[in-house]
Amino acid sequence: IGLDVHIVVSDHTRPEYVTQCLDSVKIAADAASYPVAVHVVPGVPGHVGHARHDGYNRGTHPYATFVDDDDYVLPEAFEVLRKSIEKQPAAIFTQELMLQNGVLMKTARRHHLAAYRRDVLETFDFREWTVDGDLVLRTHVSKLDCIDIEKQVYVWRLHQSRARELRRTVVEETRRAHGQSA
């Protein structure tokens, strides 16, 4: 049992967000009762998919996930995955809180802190997706055996991010990722 967590750090992310992210991941990794390895990966300007591919190819634990460099996790974030990892599903999804304008709100969808079995990740090429590979992968694994954990352990900071800006430059790809016709 073990988990690799990667954080793609962009040069454009506010330093205080990156610090909060890295600190929260370290605290959660230290609090887990199983091995959690943290990998900091440099961003690839203009192509999230290349950086995500690099991140998921780091480490050797049977499960892998990511935390965005402008978000953060709660101290129990990785520990809540333990029992589900032991069952070896294709993917495990937690719930998140959305932080917007200083207000925390619950969300009820599969989004961040999704842990994937490594063999499932090996069937997906993030390099084909400039920005929305995570969405496409979540859709792909929804047909497989997944476990949903009804606990909010990830804080998604909603703001004007580079990813939002990047989506405007790859409109056709974004429509495909969201299942819309071109």
Side-chain angles (χ1 to χ4, degrees):
I1 185 171
L3 178 69
D4 286 300
V5 180
H6 72 269
I7 304 159
V8 173
V9 177
S10 168
D11 292 338
H12 301 288
T13 305
R14 292 172 54 174
E16 64 270 23
Y17 290 175
V18 174
T19 298
Q20 184 179 25
C21 174
L22 295 173
D23 289 348
S24 74
V25 169
K26 181 181 181 339
I27 290 167
D30 289 347
S33 61
Y34 63 97
V36 176
V38 179
H39 309 277
V40 177
V41 179
V44 176
H47 206 294
V48 176
H50 287 299
R52 188 71 70 225
H53 174 80
D54 181 18
Y56 275 124
N57 280 294
R58 305 249 179 139
T60 59
H61 289 302
Y63 281 82
T65 191
F66 72 92
V67 176
D68 283 337
D69 66 348
D70 57 349
D71 298 336
Y72 60 96
V73 297
L74 301 183
E76 67 274 20
F78 305 133
E79 183 59 28
V80 302
L81 298 171
R82 183 187 177 95
K83 288 181 182 176
S84 296
I85 287 174
E86 290 172 350
K87 295 176 183 175
Q88 301 181 1
I92 305 161
F93 298 97
T94 64
Q95 297 293 303
E96 68 186 4
L97 297 165
M98 180 175 64
L99 177 61
Q100 186 175 22
N101 300 321
V103 178
L104 277 173
M105 297 167 272
K106 292 180 181 180
T107 65
R109 63 185 181 131
R110 291 177 172 175
H111 192 202
H112 290 100
L113 202 59
Y116 300 99
R117 206 173 53 222
R118 198 160 288 281
D119 65 308
V120 171
L121 288 167
E122 291 167 359
T123 68
F124 188 82
D125 190 353
F126 276 95
R127 297 170 294 187
E128 295 177 15
W129 297 91
T130 306
V131 70
D132 281 318
D134 300 309
L135 170 63
V136 178
L137 178 60
R138 282 193 308 273
T139 301
H140 169 70
V141 301
S142 68
K143 301 171 187 107
L144 305 174
D145 59 315
C146 300
I147 295 175
D148 288 285
I149 298 172
E150 300 297 322
K151 187 164 174 97
Q152 288 86 17
V153 293
Y154 188 103
V155 179
W156 171 34
R157 190 184 313 268
L158 189 62
H159 62 98
Q160 187 58 36
S161 68
R162 284 287 206 201
R164 286 173 174 256
E165 294 171 15
L166 189 55
R167 280 186 189 92
R168 291 189 203 112
T169 68
V170 291
V171 175
E172 299 287 326
E173 179 182 304
T174 300
R175 285 184 180 144
R176 275 189 308 125
H178 289 265
Q180 302 168 358
S181 58

